């Protein structure tokens, strides 16, 4: 399996622009998570989906952030409009929850810089 | 919410030395994972270990769920072990599947 795939790997944009981050989870996994890593706050969950349905979006910072999962193999995280404080590394992770394991697998991340 | 504390925050070793990293958590957990974040920023799964002991080469981990801590052992360290080691847990209570991360231990292995 190719693992969790994220694109782009790096994104540089100007304040006010729309940014879309993309994620393809591991095939067969039914949970998908979006995390953000910053120096100040460390790694924290933004939102997660189960079977394409958003379950917990309590970590989404504000209305400028939105996430969708139109099918089992694709998710997007959108920031509109972007601000310099959104600069961070955004990770996507997926897992398959059965009775034996809850292990999450992470993608390589998207490093976002907003100038 | 659950608290995850890792110690030490920083660790500097000479190549070949052994080390122990600790993770304390404040409530019962369904999931505990150890990750290595390499210098390129990638999060590498080391162990899924909500309880018990596992070994993988020079690395091993033990979680004592009843006492709410986990230990990661690195033996005969190599320069490629450098990076940040994160412990992350999913609380048993609350119904969420999210991972809550500690602040990490930054390991530097010098040649």
């Amino acid at each position: 399996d190719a693992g969790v795939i994220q694109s782009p790997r790096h994104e540089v944009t100007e304040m006010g622009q729309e940014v879309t981050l993309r994620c393809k989870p591991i095939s067969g996994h039914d949970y998908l998570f979006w995390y953000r890593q910053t120096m100040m706050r460390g790694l924290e969950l933004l939102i997660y989906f189960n079977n394409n349905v958003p379950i917990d979006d309590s970590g989404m910072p504000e209305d400028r952030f939105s996430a969708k999962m139109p099918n089992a193999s694709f998710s997007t995280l959108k920031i509109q409009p972007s601000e310099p404080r959104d600069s961070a590394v955004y990770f996507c992770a997926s897992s398959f929850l059965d009775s034996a394991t809850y292990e999450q697998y992470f993608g390589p991340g998207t490093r976002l810089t907003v100038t | 919410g659950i608290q995850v504390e890792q110690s030490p925050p920083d660790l500097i070793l000479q190549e070949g030395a052994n080390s122990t990293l600790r993770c304390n958590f404040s409530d019962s957990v369904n999931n505990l994972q150890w990750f290595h974040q390499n210098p390129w920023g990638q999060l590498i799964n080391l162990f899924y270990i909500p309880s018990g002991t596992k070994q993988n080469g020079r690395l091993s981990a033990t979680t004592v769920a009843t006492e709410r801590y986990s230990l990661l052992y690195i033996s005969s360290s190599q320069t490629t072990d450098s990076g940040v080691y994160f412990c992350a847990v999913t609380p048993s209570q609350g119904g969420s599947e999210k991972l809550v991360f500690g602040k990490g231990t930054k390991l530097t292995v010098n040649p």
Side-chain angles (χ1 to χ4, degrees):
Chain A
D1 200 316
V4 176
I5 298 172
Q6 292 186 246
S7 65
R9 295 292 306 277
H10 301 272
E11 177 80 34
V12 180
T13 191
E14 292 184 347
M15 182 174 63
Q17 297 298 304
E18 178 179 292
V19 175
T20 299
L21 311 182
R22 297 172 175 81
C23 176
K24 176 179 169 58
I26 293 172
S27 177
H29 282 192
D30 56 352
Y31 279 80
L32 183 139
F33 305 81
W34 284 99
Y35 292 88
R36 180 172 67 174
Q37 185 176 31
T38 62
M39 290 295 292
M40 291 296 293
R41 299 176 65 89
L43 275 153
E44 54 183 355
L45 179 84
L46 297 176
I47 186 172
Y48 78 89
F49 297 83
N50 176 218
N51 291 324
N52 313 337
V53 176
I55 302 299
D56 181 354
D57 65 353
S58 59
M60 295 286 264
E62 50 198 271
D63 292 345
R64 297 185 298 106
F65 285 68
S66 62
K68 294 182 179 179
M69 191 165 186
N71 57 62
S73 58
F74 184 66
S75 177
T76 59
L77 178 67
K78 186 175 294 187
I79 309 172
Q80 167 63 17
S82 58
E83 297 182 1
R85 60 189 167 129
D86 301 330
S87 297
V89 180
Y90 292 80
F91 288 99
C92 177
S94 71
S95 67
F96 173 60
L97 264 67
D98 58 17
S99 60
T101 179
Y102 292 76
E103 188 169 7
Q104 294 184 26
Y105 297 86
F106 281 69
T110 295
R111 182 174 297 275
L112 174 64
T113 303
V114 183
T115 61
Chain B
I2 195 168
Q3 303 298 312
V4 182
E5 296 183 356
Q6 293 187 241
S7 60
D10 294 278
L11 186 58
I12 300 175
L13 302 174
Q14 288 299 121
E15 202 167 24
N18 302 328
S19 61
T20 300
L21 283 58
R22 187 176 181 101
C23 173
N24 292 332
F25 43 97
S26 60
D27 210 340
S28 60
V29 300
N30 287 331
N31 178 7
L32 189 148
Q33 292 184 237
W34 282 97
F35 296 90
H36 174 214
Q37 188 165 40
N38 62 24
W40 295 270
Q42 192 165 5
L43 282 165
I44 309 298
N45 287 40
L46 296 178
F47 294 102
Y48 166 78
I49 188 167
S51 64
T53 297
K54 291 186 177 179
Q55 181 159 6
N56 184 4
R58 297 181 296 104
L59 274 60
S60 63
T62 295
T63 297
V64 183
T66 53
E67 298 188 19
R68 298 180 182 165
Y69 73 88
S70 183
L71 302 174
L72 177 68
Y73 305 96
I74 305 174
S75 65
S76 304
S77 57
Q78 301 176 357
T79 56
T80 52
D81 294 331
S82 295
V84 182
Y85 289 79
F86 288 103
C87 169
V89 303
T90 298
S92 300
Q93 306 300 321
S96 178
E97 303 299 340
K98 70 179 182 183
L99 280 171
V100 177
F101 283 78
K103 295 185 184 302
T105 292
K106 183 177 180 181
L107 175 64
T108 302
V109 181
N110 293 319

